[in-house]
Amino acid sequence: MSVFARLVEQLADLLQPLFHASAAAAAIVLFTALVRLLVHPLSRAAARGQRARTALQPRIAELRAKHAEDPGRLQQAVLELHAEEKVSPLSGCLPGLLQMPAFFLLYHLFSSSSADGLLSHRLFTAPLDGRWTDALADGGVFGTAGLVYLALFALVAAVAAVTYRRTRLTMAKNPVPLAGADGERVPGLGAVNRLMPFMPFFTLVTVAVVPLAAALYVVTSTTWSAVERAVLYR
């Protein structure tokens, strides 16, 4: 944790001439961009995998019709098809999984006293170790700290709306099957599919409850994801 704290502090020192009191906040945004840049090759691979899985759907439908009476053989045939085409069903999960350690590091760093000097840094007037409830208690929704959160909420809502629209269009073009690889209907999958487009809006809850430093990571990463998907999945 101390090594990570020094990294953020060093980035903040580099950005101090440009951002002054908000240099640590700018360092978190820069750190997030660097993390996403490192993960970008995996995101590109995930996009290729998604296009490949979409292209396989007609062949999987043929396999379902062919092995309708033998779920075990159907599952094996689907796995063999993925292996033959070198398509991994899990490739889309890797970019998100690799970002989680950075988020938890920021969360714990600004939630404990081990951050030392970092705990005194702010984004304008909002302390990086503070939460939205703290801003509400200190000036209310339209207080100086509250306005920082309103700006973050507005950005997250805008990004979520764009992502919602893209997800709905994608799901309309490529309906998600309600059955598993064995051809059996998966209970609750229909409800999950209906809920999926709304998932980006849950980021608003995250921004409201985590320390501001972690919220900056979430907002930056979410915005990056929206832009990245618009480019990779166009």
Side-chain angles (χ1 to χ4, degrees), residues 88-106:
S88 171
L90 301 178
S91 61
C93 303
L94 289 176
L97 290 175
L98 292 178
Q99 294 168 53
M100 291 179 66
F103 169 78
F104 285 116
L105 276 170
L106 278 171

Side-chain angles (χ1 to χ4, degrees), residues 145-205:
L147 289 175
V148 172
Y149 281 91
L150 285 182
L152 293 180
F153 290 146
L155 177 57
V156 170
V159 171
V162 172
T163 304
Y164 168 83
R165 182 174 180 274
R166 288 185 60 85
T167 303
R168 289 295 299 269
L169 290 174
T170 301
M171 293 180 69
K173 293 178 181 177
N174 304 289
V176 178
L178 299 181
D182 58 1
E184 294 291 329
R185 186 180 181 88
V186 179
L189 189 55
V192 172
N193 290 341
R194 289 192 294 272
L195 181 63
M196 190 180 300
F198 296 94
M199 293 300 291
F201 290 99
F202 285 94
T203 306
L204 290 165
V205 179

